[in-house]
Amino acid sequence: MPSCWHTRPFTKECSLQVFPLQFTCGIFLHRPTANDFPATMGLLTRVFESPFIVFTAAILLRVCFLFYGIYQDARSAFKYTDIDYYVFTDAARAVSRGASPYTRATYRYTPLLAWILIPTSWSGKDDLWFHSGKALFAASDIVAGYLIYKLLQRQGLLRSRALRYASVWLLNPMVANISTRGSSEGLLCALIIATLYLFETHQIVLAGSLLGLAVHFKIYPFIYGVSMFWALKTNPRGTSNFADLRSVKTILNRPRIELLVSSLSTFMALNLLMYNYYGKSFIQHTFLYHFTRTDHRHNFSVYNTLLYSSSAQPQVFNGVSHEFLGLTAERLAFVPQLFLSCVLLPLLPSTHYSLPTTLLAQTLAFVTFNKVCTSQYFLWYLVFLPLYLPCSSRLRSLSFYDTGSTASIRWVMGQAIWLAEGYRLEFHGTSTFVPGLYGASILFFAVNCWLLGIVVEDGGILVRKAVDSRQERSGEKQTAGSVLTTDMAQQKHRGPT
């Protein structure tokens, strides 16, 4: 058993990102018996006995999505390709001509991404080379799925069970859809899971280096460094990470120093390299912009309506600059987000027993409380879901209202209600900001907070079980010692035979 641990139009691809997850969760989170569907269960058993079948199916799923997307782009006014992919490829084309990627308006990413996608500039948009970036992102999905499978096996799961949980990512149409539309989240998820794999296999320096690369690629993975730091603890298992704060000696052990030095040195080296090429534009667009962004369109965040109202305010209000007011509101939005994901959750004892559970909780909190949240951000925490599910209390619950399928349905319905309000706003021109869109944002926020509570509660259950197990083993040893002492005393009392 495991030890547990821009503008995006509201088109039909929005629904492609919601309902496939419900379908996938219905298959993999519900646990039917062989008596329910004997033929189906027999087929599923054979499928999940073979890694070749599962990974081939995952590859074919992405190939089908990729070529369908090319077909839809050529024949429909509703484009399958994400608008961000055109931003990426335009920046790559600029780099291939010796210009800065930031000459492309709205390019807010590391130049490294544009460098990677240079092959997309080797031909026109109707050629297959243009879609090579999508193929790279889809392939990254497969790499992430393989590493998830290996991590599950390391936790003691049998091959068929590990494949079943890994398929929540590998065979999830939502994941395949987002990557083949040209979102780079698949590549980022592969970097993060590779970092976790290296960390779990005790390759701390390599894990730190890859973490530095991931943070350079996109800022938010820095929150994982906090949990990894505390996971390399010296105090006894089952105690809180707050115990490590008592002295510098316990905080800075050798593994933690290795993690800090390797991650920071990689991060700073990449930043200095990019700054040398592109100067202040790199700092502004890659990092600083994200602290002041006020994207309110197609934003699931609970701050959506607030950002919309802020963007509509006059430039000067009562003699105070609107820019100043906006910056103040945005800075305040980071307070609950960073407190939860960087301070409170990493310090929980569950970090030491199930790091993936803590990483899932951190990411869910970060995305839920973020002031900007689009569909792509959901992949940030879904990649940890297969590593958390073997320990989920909802999979073992007999109550219909507490099952994993019910939790996934509530999450999907929260999205669906929000998308319905957004569709009325975008396509029918109906003003649904209040109460429609605002209420839908609050509902989806509440659902995500409820899910976060479940994950944190499961982490606490893991700690209690581990502590109880250790106490039982300690009690057995004490009992055995007492029996041995009693036998020796009796032997001494009898004297030599």
Side-chain angles (χ1 to χ4, degrees), residues 353-375:
Y353 289 96
S354 180
L355 181 59
T357 299
T358 301
L359 299 184
L360 172 62
Q362 280 184 282
T363 315
L364 186 54
F366 188 90
V367 173
T368 299
F369 286 84
N370 198 24
K371 63 185 178 184
V372 178
C373 177
T374 62
S375 297

Side-chain angles (χ1 to χ4, degrees), residues 93-369:
R93 187 171 293 104
V95 169
S96 68
R97 295 170 180 169
S100 168
Y102 302 110
T103 57
R104 175 40 162 109
T106 72
Y107 185 79
R108 315 293 188 185
Y109 312 90
T110 170
L112 192 60
L113 179 59
W115 291 6
I116 294 172
L117 296 179
I118 284 179
T120 62
S121 65
W122 292 350
S123 62
K125 294 184 178 181
D126 295 330
D127 195 273
L128 288 178
W129 275 115
F130 177 75
H131 303 282
S132 61
K134 300 177 185 177
L136 172 64
F137 301 150
S140 300
D141 281 350
I142 303 298
V143 173
Y146 176 76
L147 293 175
I148 289 171
Y149 168 62
K150 300 302 290 185
L151 281 168
L152 288 167
Q153 284 192 312
R154 278 187 54 82
Q155 295 302 312
L157 270 69
L158 297 177
R159 182 173 65 181
S160 60
R161 194 157 179 248
L163 280 172
R164 185 180 296 273
Y165 285 117
S167 295
V168 173
W169 174 266
L170 285 168
L171 301 182
N172 192 327
M174 177 181 179
V175 175
N177 169 249
I178 289 178
S179 292
T180 54
R181 290 183 62 216
S183 173
S184 62
E185 309 307 325
L187 180 58
L188 179 63
C189 289
L191 287 174
I192 291 169
I193 292 298
T195 301
L196 178 60
Y197 180 81
L198 291 171
F199 186 87
E200 293 287 344
T201 53
H202 311 293
Q203 302 177 67
I204 305 301
V205 175
L206 288 177
S209 300
L210 210 55
L211 178 62
L213 173 61
V215 176
H216 171 81
F217 198 85
K218 189 160 284 190
I219 303 173
Y220 86 91
F222 82 91
I223 64 177
Y224 305 141
V226 182
S227 290
M228 291 178 179
F229 180 87
W230 291 120
L232 298 169
K233 66 193 300 181
T234 53
N235 55 319
R237 286 193 171 195
T239 59
S240 170
N241 287 318
F242 286 100
D244 276 356
L245 299 175
R246 294 173 183 171
S247 70
V248 175
K249 185 177 180 180
T250 56
I251 291 177
L252 295 178
N253 57 40
R254 180 174 177 177
R256 286 175 173 174
I257 293 174
E258 290 178 349
L259 180 69
L260 280 173
V261 172
S262 58
S263 58
L264 288 176
S265 59
T266 303
F267 177 69
M268 293 307 299
L270 288 170
N271 289 343
L272 289 173
L273 175 64
M274 298 305 168
Y275 184 80
N276 182 59
Y277 274 98
Y278 304 109
K280 293 181 180 179
S281 296
F282 160 68
I283 301 296
Q284 174 61 38
H285 294 287
T286 304
F287 297 115
L288 299 182
Y289 164 78
H290 296 282
F291 291 97
T292 59
R293 63 186 299 193
T294 56
D295 300 351
H296 62 85
R297 302 196 63 174
H298 316 129
N299 180 4
F300 287 88
S301 171
V302 71
Y303 297 104
N304 175 27
T305 305
L306 175 64
L307 294 176
Y308 173 77
S309 300
S310 177
S311 66
Q313 294 296 324
Q315 293 301 312
V316 177
F317 181 74
N318 288 342
V320 181
S321 169
H322 168 63
E323 181 181 3
F324 175 80
L325 291 174
L327 286 173
T328 302
E330 290 153 23
R331 286 170 180 165
L332 291 175
F334 284 108
V335 174
Q337 179 189 35
L338 295 182
F339 176 73
L340 281 173
S341 59
C342 298
V343 179
L344 186 60
L345 292 173
L347 289 174
L348 295 177
S350 58
T351 300
H352 193 72
Y353 289 96
S354 180
L355 181 59
T357 299
T358 301
L359 299 184
L360 172 62
Q362 280 184 282
T363 315
L364 186 54
F366 188 90
V367 173
T368 299
F369 286 84

Side-chain angles (χ1 to χ4, degrees), residues 381-404:
Y381 53 79
L382 288 179
V383 73
F384 295 114
L385 188 61
L387 302 174
Y388 156 76
L389 287 177
C391 314
S392 173
S393 61
R394 291 307 186 267
L395 292 187
R396 297 185 294 272
S397 175
L398 297 179
S399 170
F400 171 77
Y401 297 101
D402 288 334
T403 61

